[in-house]
Amino acid sequence: MLPRWKGKDKKAKKDAEAEALREPMSKIISQLQSSLIQSEACGFLSDNNVQLAVGAEQIDLLDKACFGQPVRTVEKDVVWFQLSLEEAFYLCYHLKCLKIKDGGSGIQSDEELWTKIKSKNKTFPYFYKAYSHLRMKNWVVRPGALYGVDFVVYRHHPARVHSEYGALVLSHDDDKDLNGRLNVWSDVHCTTRLLGGVAKILLVLYINRNGNKDDSPLCLANYTVQERTITRWIPEQSREKGSSC
C-alpha cells in the first residue's frame, strides 16, 4: 500500500510528503530523547497511564513524535501529558530518557516498573512487545479502539498521512484474554470490512513467548513477532477482464 498523504489537492499532498522526508520520524524521536534526558524528565504512574509534566519544547516534540496526549489542568505554566503504559515504558526502557515514580515509593527500576504494570494488566508484555516492534521500525503507533483494533499504524504524523494498518495483538500461547478474537469467520469479516471501509489493512501481530517467563523485561529479547496481513477479498476486483462469471 502506498502512503496516502493528506491535503486538499496534489500540491498539498506533495508538500506533506516533502515535509515528512525532511523530518523523518527517527530524527524526531532522537530529538525528543535528547530533550527528555537533558531535563531529567520524570513521570508519575497513575492507574493505567503515566502523567508527565513538560515544557514548551517537549510539548512540541511529544506531539511531533506522537507520544501521549495533553491533559487540561488548572495549573498555570504547566502542561501535563498522559502517556499510555506502552508509550511510557518505551521511553523508559528502550530510549532510556524517562524516569517513572509510583506514588510515594520513589523512582522505579525497570524491573519494579515492569512488575507494577504487569500487576495491573497481565497481557502487558504482549502489547508492549507489539508496540515496541512497530516503533523500532519508525512507525507511529496510536490507540485503535475507534476502529475495533488495538493499534492504528501510521507512516508519519497523523496530520500528514492517513494510517495504513489497524493492528491486532494475538499470541500462539494459550492466553484467552488475547486469543478470544478472530476465532470465527464473522469476526474476521467484520474487522476487515470495517478497516477496508476506511482504507486500512488488518495487521495481526502474533507475539510468541517461546516458553520464556515474563517476570523481567529482559524476557522481551526472547519474544518473537510474526506479522500477518488480512484483506477482504472482493470478487469484482479479482476477475479477469472480459470474464462474465
Side-chain angles (χ1 to χ4, degrees), residues 149-202:
V149 290
D150 297 317
F151 301 115
V152 179
V153 185
Y154 297 80
R155 191 175 294 261
H156 205 275
H157 195 284
R160 292 178 177 168
V161 68
H162 292 281
S163 58
E164 296 181 35
Y165 299 100
L168 279 177
V169 180
L170 300 178
S171 176
H172 290 308
D173 298 327
D174 185 20
D175 193 307
K176 294 180 181 179
D177 291 331
L178 282 176
N179 298 330
R181 302 171 294 182
L182 303 188
N183 273 340
V184 295
W185 169 245
S186 59
D187 289 348
V188 178
H189 179 71
C190 289
T191 304
T192 54
R193 188 177 182 87
L194 173 60
L195 291 175
V198 287
K200 300 179 192 348
I201 293 175
L202 174 60

Side-chain angles (χ1 to χ4, degrees), residues 5 16-32 61 64-66 135 137-140 154-157 160:
W5 300 102
E17 181 179 8
E19 289 174 5
L21 290 173
R22 281 196 300 270
E23 197 170 31
M25 191 52 60
S26 58
K27 178 181 177 182
I28 297 171
I29 296 293
S30 179
Q31 291 172 340
L32 173 64
L61 288 171
K64 284 183 176 180
C66 298
R135 270 291 186 178
K137 290 186 173 186
N138 288 318
W139 288 97
V140 168
Y154 297 80
R155 191 175 294 261
H156 205 275
H157 195 284
R160 292 178 177 168

Side-chain angles (χ1 to χ4, degrees), residues 15-225:
D15 288 345
E17 181 179 8
E19 289 174 5
L21 290 173
R22 281 196 300 270
E23 197 170 31
M25 191 52 60
S26 58
K27 178 181 177 182
I28 297 171
I29 296 293
S30 179
Q31 291 172 340
L32 173 64
Q33 182 183 29
S34 297
S35 178
L36 291 175
I37 290 174
Q38 290 175 8
S39 66
E40 299 182 345
C42 185
F44 298 88
L45 187 62
S46 173
D47 295 327
N48 289 316
N49 54 68
V50 169
Q51 306 291 330
L52 174 66
V54 294
E57 175 187 282
Q58 291 163 351
I59 294 172
D60 182 58
L61 288 171
L62 285 166
D63 176 69
K64 284 183 176 180
C66 298
F67 278 92
Q69 57 185 357
V71 179
R72 292 182 179 274
T73 66
V74 296
E75 300 178 70
K76 293 183 178 180
D77 302 322
V78 175
V79 175
W80 289 86
F81 258 73
Q82 180 174 291
L83 304 169
S84 71
L85 296 178
E86 291 83 10
E87 291 171 328
F89 199 76
Y90 187 79
L91 293 171
C92 177
Y93 182 71
H94 182 72
L95 295 182
K96 307 295 184 185
C97 61
L98 177 66
K99 294 180 174 60
I100 298 177
K101 292 183 178 180
D102 179 29
S105 57
I107 293 174
Q108 304 285 285
S109 67
D110 291 341
E111 289 73 19
E112 290 171 332
L113 184 61
W114 175 266
T115 301
K116 189 81 66 175
I117 294 176
K118 198 159 64 76
S119 69
K120 297 174 180 288
N121 182 358
K122 68 177 184 178
T123 60
F124 174 75
Y126 295 99
F127 283 92
Y128 177 73
K129 182 64 179 182
Y131 177 88
S132 60
H133 171 77
L134 294 170
R135 270 291 186 178
M136 283 190 279
K137 290 186 173 186
N138 288 318
W139 288 97
V140 168
V141 187
R142 302 300 285 166
L146 182 63
Y147 302 104
V149 290
D150 297 317
F151 301 115
V152 179
V153 185
Y154 297 80
R155 191 175 294 261
H156 205 275
H157 195 284
R160 292 178 177 168
V161 68
H162 292 281
S163 58
E164 296 181 35
Y165 299 100
L168 279 177
V169 180
L170 300 178
S171 176
H172 290 308
D173 298 327
D174 185 20
D175 193 307
K176 294 180 181 179
D177 291 331
L178 282 176
N179 298 330
R181 302 171 294 182
L182 303 188
N183 273 340
V184 295
W185 169 245
S186 59
D187 289 348
V188 178
H189 179 71
C190 289
T191 304
T192 54
R193 188 177 182 87
L194 173 60
L195 291 175
V198 287
K200 300 179 192 348
I201 293 175
L202 174 60
L203 172 64
V204 181
L205 299 173
Y206 287 98
I207 311 300
N208 303 305
R209 289 170 55 184
N210 299 312
N212 294 282
K213 295 182 179 180
D214 61 1
D215 52 357
S216 164
L218 295 175
C219 69
L220 293 166
N222 299 315
Y223 282 26
T224 55
V225 182

